[in-house]
Amino acid sequence: MIRLDISKALQEAALEETALQQRVAAAQAQLEEATCPGNDFLGWLHLPSSITPEFLGEVKACADVLRQHCDTVVVAGIGGSYLGARAVIEALGNSFAWLTNKGENPDILFAGNNIGEDYLYELTQYLKTRQFGVINISKSGTTTETALAFRLLKKQCEEQRGKEMARKVIVAVTDARKGAARTTADKEGYTSFIIPDNVGGRFSVLTPVGLLPIAVAGFDVEALVKGAADMERATAPEVPFAQNPSAVYAAARNVLYQQGKKIEILVNFQPKLHYMNEWWKQLYGESEGKDLKGIFPAAVDFSTDLHSMGQWIQEGERTIFETVVSVENPEHTLLFPHDEENLDGLNFLSGKRVDEVNKMAELGTRLAHVDGGVPNIRVCIDRLDAYNLGQLIYFFEKACGISGLILGVNPFNQPGVEAYKKNMFALLGKPGYEKETEAIKTRI
Ligand code: PA5
């Protein structure tokens, strides 16, 4: 089980305050009883325990078709329709997957998460030599970034592989009824999966949004879901506060926020966790940043970023706290070799594991940052496998729901993301935006 250590962030007493614990309990009750703001988006809450083996079988059967017919699968999606799958695939995969893949698993590429012309050009050029398939993921089915990429990919796939094969290797994950992705999937006869109405994008990694790409990549979706289901039990409302890691984390970060710590930095010491950082930033940023409130979620990869952001964290403005995701056991063993000449002076490390040095970097950083006035929360997991990632995902989701409610916002909407879209459509002259186009022209 995930272990949470807040001893270097707060005095335990700060969490023992009755009023705070009452607010946590009230938030938990509101989630369970579906009486909170955004209560039509609580489908994630008991999702892990409600996923059946039959459903996972369907996901895996579809993944097998893609695995059988494709050497490359492009996952088109953005935000919540992208980050969870990428986070898990990169955390579980070989760091050099594209070089070491001997064809046992398709390469997974991502598109529809930007509008970079060069990115899309280079992707389409690369795909010319690949037997590729596409998973088109969009809950609304109308997101511009994803729809643009999908239009390019669909055309290329049909031209390269023929209409019949394209129909087999293009899969849609979208709403049951509405949106262009649904219309296209139904018209073309693609296999499709439904994103439940009551699961918002950033909470959707344990729906086919995440499960399908993860299964196509060859990872164990049963173990992922099992980890999440175990964490669902470990964070249930009947679990006493002090033993409920999501409740304690949610409470701790709200206390720190009240103390002026406006920025939370998620830290890893494993490069494979880079996209977990990205997933977490979206989860907390979109859930809490509203009504002129909310901790700003930032993230760093250590020790890499100790050589860029380390100075700021050690001595910059004291408005930050850190949450470190610490992985206890690496998958592989690598020892530092002895060198007779010792020209680099590193013989004091001979015979030691690389991870031992990494762990001392982690501990040394923790102590230095605490000394520098940066409260430090630690989230420990045993290893980077599907089971532990499932736990970590649900731990953060549950804490996010509780934390947003303690903060007093609706953690399940994202009204702010519409503003840029409205301007973009006005600037591009989208039909239906004529008035906005005229208005925006006066500003430029
Ligand atoms: O969490 C969210 O709701 C968003 O990040 C969405 O996932 C993102 O905007 C993509 O939306 P859609 O899945 O409708 O294409």
Side-chain angles (χ1 to χ4, degrees):
M1 265 302 144
I2 279 179
R3 289 168 303 286
L4 182 71
D5 177 4
I6 55 151
S7 62
K8 296 235 174 320
L10 284 169
Q11 307 281 3
E12 294 277 330
L15 295 188
E16 275 155 21
E17 219 190 89
T18 321
L20 178 67
Q21 294 207 9
Q22 277 171 350
R23 280 162 72 205
V24 172
Q28 289 254 67
Q30 279 187 305
L31 289 171
E32 286 303 319
E33 291 155 17
T35 52
C36 58
N39 56 2
D40 42 351
F41 283 99
L42 293 176
W44 58 273
L45 189 64
H46 295 297
L47 181 64
S49 60
S50 63
I51 295 175
T52 61
E54 292 70 34
F55 178 72
L56 284 182
E58 274 173 48
V59 171
K60 281 165 63 181
C62 176
D64 283 345
V65 173
L66 290 169
R67 289 170 62 80
Q68 198 185 334
H69 294 290
C70 306
D71 57 21
T72 304
V73 172
V74 186
V75 178
I78 193 167
S81 291
Y82 154 62
L83 287 163
R86 188 161 197 176
V88 174
I89 290 169
E90 302 228 346
L92 296 179
N94 187 302
S95 307
F96 304 93
W98 75 96
L99 291 174
T100 53
N101 190 355
K102 303 248 178 334
E104 61 272 29
N105 295 304
D107 286 330
I108 309 292
L109 304 178
F110 295 91
N113 56 68
N114 64 66
I115 323 176
E117 185 161 350
D118 288 342
Y119 184 89
L120 286 168
Y121 176 84
E122 286 159 17
L123 174 68
T124 49
Q125 287 298 305
Y126 173 74
L127 290 173
K128 281 185 177 168
T129 58
R130 310 297 287 178
Q131 301 287 308
F132 76 95
V134 185
I135 308 176
N136 185 33
I137 309 179
S138 177
K139 185 169 184 203
S140 62
T142 55
T143 300
T144 309
E145 288 87 339
T146 306
L148 269 174
F150 182 65
R151 182 185 273 219
L152 289 164
L153 293 166
K154 173 179 186 285
K155 184 165 183 290
Q156 184 171 355
C157 187
E158 287 170 351
E159 284 170 4
Q160 254 172 247
R161 308 202 65 184
K163 264 237 160 201
E164 204 180 313
M165 180 53 88
R167 214 167 275 137
K168 261 198 195 129
V169 297
I170 298 179
V171 177
V173 182
T174 187
D175 186 81
R177 291 167 297 277
K178 57 180 193 319
R182 169 53 58 198
T183 310
T184 310
D186 289 348
K187 181 178 165 284
E188 299 287 359
Y190 299 149
T191 302
S192 66
F193 288 91
I194 292 168
I195 309 175
D197 282 346
N198 60 357
V199 181
R202 57 191 175 274
F203 288 87
S204 70
V205 54
L206 298 170
T207 73
V209 167
L211 295 177
L212 181 62
I214 293 165
V216 172
F219 299 117
D220 186 347
V221 285
E222 272 103 357
L224 186 78
V225 170
K226 164 109 180 49
D230 286 351
M231 187 50 67
E232 184 187 324
R233 274 185 288 280
T235 58
E238 59 274 16
V239 177
F241 173 79
Q243 286 151 39
N244 179 334
S246 294
V248 173
Y249 174 56
R253 57 199 300 285
N254 273 277
V255 171
L256 290 166
Y257 183 56
Q258 291 307 321
Q259 293 174 355
K261 304 297 183 190
K262 305 287 185 193
I263 300 164
E264 178 176 10
I265 306 178
L266 194 77
V267 178
N268 68 63
F269 279 80
Q270 301 290 343
K272 286 183 183 191
L273 285 175
H274 176 79
Y275 273 93
M276 278 305 291
N277 281 4
E278 296 302 304
W279 171 81
W280 172 90
K281 276 198 300 196
Q282 190 216 355
L283 180 65
Y284 280 81
E286 274 194 358
S287 298
E288 293 193 322
K290 52 197 70 159
D291 306 339
L292 307 178
K293 311 194 246 196
I295 294 172
F296 182 84
V300 290
D301 302 316
F302 283 169
S303 67
T304 313
D305 290 333
L306 284 171
H307 298 258
S308 70
M309 295 303 290
Q311 171 60 37
W312 201 105
I313 295 170
Q314 189 68 46
E315 295 183 341
E317 196 180 13
R318 300 297 73 186
T319 46
I320 55 174
F321 67 98
E322 287 180 314
T323 297
V324 180
V325 175
S326 180
V327 181
E328 222 119 279
N329 302 294
E331 275 316 291
H332 306 286
T333 303
L334 184 64
L335 305 180
F336 280 107
H338 185 73
D339 188 312
E340 280 311 322
E341 289 191 272
N342 196 24
L343 294 177
D344 53 12
L346 287 178
N347 269 355
F348 70 102
L349 297 176
S350 297
K352 284 197 197 304
R353 290 185 68 169
V354 173
D355 192 57
E356 194 177 331
V357 180
N358 201 25
K359 289 290 187 301
M360 290 310 107
E362 185 179 325
L363 183 56
T365 305
R366 184 179 203 215
L367 296 174
H369 288 182
V370 169
D371 288 345
V374 181
N376 184 289
I377 296 176
R378 204 160 165 250
V379 181
C380 297
I381 64 171
D382 285 339
R383 55 186 66 252
L384 274 188
D385 60 13
Y387 176 75
N388 279 283
L389 283 179
Q391 280 196 21
L392 191 64
I393 285 167
Y394 191 84
F395 157 75
F396 277 133
E397 287 182 350
K398 185 68 174 281
C400 184
I402 299 172
S403 182
L405 294 177
I406 301 177
L407 183 67
V409 299
N410 173 353
F412 308 115
N413 66 2
Q414 55 286 329
V417 299
E418 294 309 313
Y420 96 91
K421 291 183 196 168
K422 203 177 103 208
N423 285 349
M424 179 175 76
F425 293 146
L427 290 164
L428 286 168
K430 184 173 173 170
Y433 282 76
E434 291 76 9
K435 262 204 205 135
E436 287 84 352
T437 303
E438 249 178 58
I440 209 161
K441 274 189 185 155
T442 64
R443 296 177 54 195
I444 50 179

